[in-house]
Amino acid sequence: MNTPAETLDMASSDESHSDPSSNNLEALLDRINRLASGEEAVEAQPEQRAVTEQSQVAPERPRPIVVPPVHNFEDAGRERKEWCPPEPKTLAQAGISEGQLEHLAIKCLGACGDCSGHELAEHHTVPFRLIEPVLATLKQAQLVAYRGSAPMNDYVYQLTEMGREQAKKLTEYCSYFGAAPVPLEHYIESVAEQTLTKVHPTRGDLERAFSDLLVNQNMLRRLGPAVNSGRGLFLFGFPGNGKTSIAERVTKAFGDTVWIPRAIGIDGEVMRVFDPALHEEIPLEMAAGPLHAREIDKRWVRIRRPTIVVGGELTMDALEVSPGTGNNVSEAPLQLKSNCGTLVIDDFGRQRMTTDVLLNRWIVPLEKRYDFLRLVNGKKIQVPFDQLIIFSTNLEPKDLVDDAFLRRIPYKIEVPDPSEEEFRQLFKIMAPILGMEYNQDSVDYLIATHYHPINRPFRCCQPRDLLLQIRNYCNYLDTMPTMCREYFDYAVENYFAVM
């Protein structure tokens, strides 16, 4: 007995050998699914819609799906919707040709050995109904053969001798055989739908984003307009006052998640975009039932809105398309991976390249909000430049760059030292986090003995660092971590030894 999901897959198989009743069933299930998701209220009869679909030579792309956000960012009745890539119904809607899918399947079988049709569909992240006729074509061309049967009216495929020769030739040209790439045009459209310029964070959004940091209202008042501009800003001030922490939390004010493609296809070359080292995948909670199991294009990944932080290790190579490990496979640069998010240049001015070289690379993108990249094969493409660039530095901005560039970064925000009251509040916050009971007398002693007499400035990082010194010392003594005068003297002696 077939399950409902198996029945749906069987009804979605090659149109060349499906009967009229199966076409009607597919159309009816598709209509139920669309009505259940609220995408449309009234639609043509199934028979009429089937005739219309067959008469279309180049079907339009499916309309984007809008789902409720994970967190409801709202202010005075305002609510944000999340854009989702809809599952393609045809290869034309997916933006890939039958030949491209054939090449991917052949290379995958050549590398992985025997695979069923559903396994290939899962590997290339395309619906089974799209890859099934492609496999039938490869079978007729004697490039693949049946090794056996598989569940859900499927077969296990293997390459023939002719297919192995073809796989070798295709791999020499392009070794990629992962998820089917998304066309560059579709990626550009997705960035336009999820652009930061459409999101205008309010004071409530920033307060939620900075809820785990001690940030005064004056700082939020200055950050708010800068974040809304979406163009970039300088954060400068003494080290240890939380510039990097502030920059990392700015992204939360724009919302939680965005969708990015696993890879982009550009004239035969594949550029990887999804990077597990920089992107955190946030799977979408799908509704129960087989009718809702395949609504989203699986070539895309739902990630936490990216915040990419780079420091003194940044080089110019990281800002250009870099060759991958295979033929005609490349890696997207940092600014493209951070689209619809935040790119933080930490310790600005301490990179191995000069600040002029780095800033000249971004003068046009910051002004025009698009960038030009040169692919490994020499082709130059235009891509969106849609992220908030934050330059975090301990140096004065005017000492690093000229007026022409400072004009393109309209917001320069100093992160000042905390007041004594804020300094004490940081001890109250950090003590329970590090497993200690807050002791007011010990903090009074610390400030009166080690700060006021020598005019030592307060820094936001010092309460955490000093309490960590105490905890580590107590762990060595095998005692309960405690805030006391003796332990503070020990921590100060170590922490400020050369400062």
Side-chain angles (χ1 to χ4, degrees), residues 333-442:
L334 288 176
Q335 67 270 26
L336 192 140
K337 290 181 179 180
S338 64
N339 269 338
C340 303
T342 304
L343 179 59
V344 182
I345 312 299
D346 204 7
D347 290 329
F348 180 64
R350 305 187 187 278
Q351 282 72 29
R352 284 178 283 179
M353 72 193 86
T354 65
T355 56
D356 290 341
V357 172
L358 176 60
L359 297 178
N360 287 336
R361 171 65 180 81
W362 278 340
I363 282 183
V364 173
L366 282 170
E367 187 79 20
K368 303 295 185 181
R369 300 194 71 84
Y370 59 78
D371 193 13
F372 288 98
L373 300 177
R374 187 179 298 277
L375 303 179
V376 176
N377 60 14
K379 180 181 178 64
K380 183 174 284 190
I381 60 172
Q382 180 179 318
V383 296
F385 189 85
D386 191 88
Q387 65 279 109
L388 184 67
I389 299 282
I390 298 180
F391 298 93
S392 174
T393 180
N394 303 327
L395 309 174
E396 187 72 24
K398 65 181 180 181
D399 297 333
L400 294 173
V401 296
D402 57 19
D403 293 340
F405 191 83
L406 283 176
R407 180 180 61 82
R408 292 172 169 84
I409 306 292
Y411 293 93
K412 299 91 177 173
I413 300 176
E414 182 179 7
V415 182
D417 293 336
S419 64
E420 182 175 332
E421 181 183 354
E422 292 171 335
F423 190 70
R424 293 175 180 274
Q425 183 66 25
L426 286 170
F427 275 104
K428 291 182 181 180
I429 295 173
M430 292 305 303
I433 294 176
L434 297 177
M436 302 182 202
E437 184 178 350
Y438 176 72
N439 187 315
Q440 179 69 43
D441 177 70
S442 299

Side-chain angles (χ1 to χ4, degrees), residues 283-318:
L284 183 66
E285 294 182 5
M286 304 297 292
L291 297 180
H292 297 272
R294 298 178 179 236
E295 293 178 348
I296 304 298
D297 191 341
K298 295 181 179 179
R299 297 177 300 165
W300 297 72
V301 185
R302 185 174 184 252
I303 63 169
R304 192 175 304 281
R305 192 175 289 270
T307 301
I308 298 179
V309 182
V310 292
E313 76 281 2
L314 179 65
T315 63
M316 287 299 295
D317 291 339

Side-chain angles (χ1 to χ4, degrees), residues 155-224:
Y155 298 96
V156 176
Y157 296 89
Q158 67 176 8
L159 291 177
T160 63
E161 185 65 30
M162 186 185 307
R164 284 190 289 271
E165 290 294 328
Q166 182 72 1
K168 183 178 179 180
K169 294 178 181 178
L170 292 173
T171 303
E172 290 175 354
Y173 173 73
C174 179
S175 57
Y176 180 83
F177 60 89
V182 172
L184 177 61
E185 313 86 71
H186 293 189
Y187 172 68
I188 294 174
E189 292 173 10
S190 75
V191 174
E193 290 291 336
Q194 304 174 100
T195 176
L196 296 181
T197 59
K198 289 185 177 181
V199 184
H200 301 290
T202 64
R203 182 174 61 183
D205 294 334
L206 261 71
E207 289 176 349
R208 280 186 288 268
F210 288 89
S211 60
D212 61 336
L213 283 185
L214 182 62
V215 180
N216 59 48
Q217 290 297 320
N218 183 54
M219 176 61 68
L220 291 181
R221 182 179 60 84
R222 298 192 64 189
L223 280 173

